[in-house]
Amino acid sequence: MAFDRKCVLLVICVASLFKGSVGDCKSRLRNMVIREGDPLSLNSGDNQDCHWSIAPSDLTFNIKRNMSAGNGELDPSFRQAYSLEGSNLVMNSAETQPGVSPYATSGIYILTCPGDECTTAAKVVVVQSGPTCSCTNDKDGQSTTFTVTIVYADTAKNDMYPAFYFSLRGQIIKSDMPLPIRDDRFRFRSTSEYKRRGRSLGLLTDFGVTVNFTSPSEYPVRHIDPLAPDFSATCNFDKKCT
């Protein structure tokens, strides 16, 4: 039931808010997915004296909180959870709910820089747990149900979904993007199942699930940006499934 922690970022598109268009912006932020507890750096590019703010996922209606004033200093309430390196914002440890940070670190990060023609923003999704694999053999021994679950924090406008790819011997045998459900105020849960008739799948080392985050409009073709890898995590089923 191990997962791969090597790839931790999802890049899907640059979001531009308020005024201007993506083409007008000197600053470029990317939507990202990161595991809880991992650090993250949000790059302002070559801009200086930028202003950062956040609409955290645990506040309703995307209420915005100012994080810095463009003078190289963070608001005191954010100094334990974040730091500034020049105009780049560094998240020390991702959180799905308030902890070291006064708010969840998942949410929409907004960057405003002097001389830029627009304000840019990007969403950060934080994965709390998963993918977790389990399996159940039916009573008559004629089929097995394989279940995969992932729990993550996103904004109320949950528009980045986990897509599940079940594979056997390197070939995808099922792809699925179920509608996530809200676990609580802070988190969403997404679960996918694959039911197979017959007990034999060969060696279970040849069978597993890969989970990638993407937008529903791009499923099942994942958006790929050559500048960074997708978030990708894999879990395998144990021998009790056979």
Side-chain angles (χ1 to χ4, degrees):
M1 299 187 187
F3 51 74
D4 183 5
R5 295 178 61 92
K6 293 180 181 178
C7 294
V8 294
L9 299 181
L10 160 74
V11 180
I12 59 171
C13 63
V14 177
S16 178
L17 299 182
F18 309 113
K19 62 178 181 178
S21 64
V22 171
D24 298 327
C25 297
K26 299 175 184 178
S27 308
R28 294 296 179 94
L29 295 179
R30 300 185 183 95
N31 295 332
M32 297 183 179
V33 177
I34 187 171
R35 289 194 180 280
E36 190 167 38
D38 283 354
L40 177 65
S41 180
L42 294 168
N43 195 331
S44 65
D46 297 328
N47 294 283
Q48 301 297 321
D49 302 322
C50 296
H51 170 82
W52 286 96
S53 54
I54 182 176
S57 63
D58 56 312
L59 295 184
T60 56
F61 307 115
N62 289 339
I63 298 173
K64 186 172 70 172
R65 293 287 183 261
N66 292 327
M67 304 180 72
S68 68
N71 58 359
E73 294 186 3
L74 284 170
D75 182 279
S77 62
F78 289 99
R79 289 177 185 170
Q80 284 188 296
Y82 299 86
S83 61
L84 287 174
E85 294 181 356
S87 288
N88 297 334
L89 181 67
V90 178
M91 180 194 304
N92 299 328
S93 178
E95 298 177 335
T96 58
Q97 58 184 319
V100 176
S101 171
Y103 309 101
T105 59
S106 50
I108 299 172
Y109 288 79
I110 304 157
L111 175 66
T112 305
C113 298
D116 211 342
E117 297 181 21
C118 65
T119 296
T120 58
K123 177 183 284 190
V124 174
V125 171
V126 178
V127 174
Q128 183 189 50
S129 63
T132 303
C133 289
S134 62
C135 56
T136 304
N137 295 319
D138 67 4
K139 293 181 180 180
D140 62 9
Q142 296 301 309
S143 63
T144 303
T145 299
F146 301 91
T147 305
V148 187
T149 300
I150 191 166
V151 179
Y152 63 98
D154 194 0
T155 61
K157 185 182 178 182
N158 176 26
D159 52 9
M160 288 164 59
Y161 292 0
F164 299 84
Y165 298 87
F166 293 80
S167 62
L168 178 63
R169 302 183 187 94
Q171 299 295 316
I172 294 175
I173 55 178
K174 179 185 178 181
S175 60
D176 187 24
M177 181 183 276
L179 184 67
I181 61 172
R182 184 175 286 280
D183 221 19
D184 56 23
R185 177 185 170 190
F186 303 104
R187 289 167 289 261
F188 289 88
R189 178 181 299 268
S190 187
T191 300
S192 180
E193 291 185 347
Y194 172 68
K195 187 170 184 177
R196 184 175 178 90
R197 296 287 297 175
R199 295 289 296 276
S200 177
L201 273 171
L203 295 174
L204 281 176
T205 53
D206 296 333
F207 177 64
V209 183
T210 298
V211 181
N212 297 93
F213 277 78
T214 187
S215 65
S217 63
E218 293 170 334
Y219 172 79
V221 179
R222 290 179 295 157
H223 179 92
I224 296 176
D225 188 315
L227 298 179
D230 287 344
F231 172 94
S232 181
T234 302
C235 67
N236 296 306
F237 297 92
D238 58 32
K239 294 180 180 179
K240 72 180 182 180
C241 298
T242 57

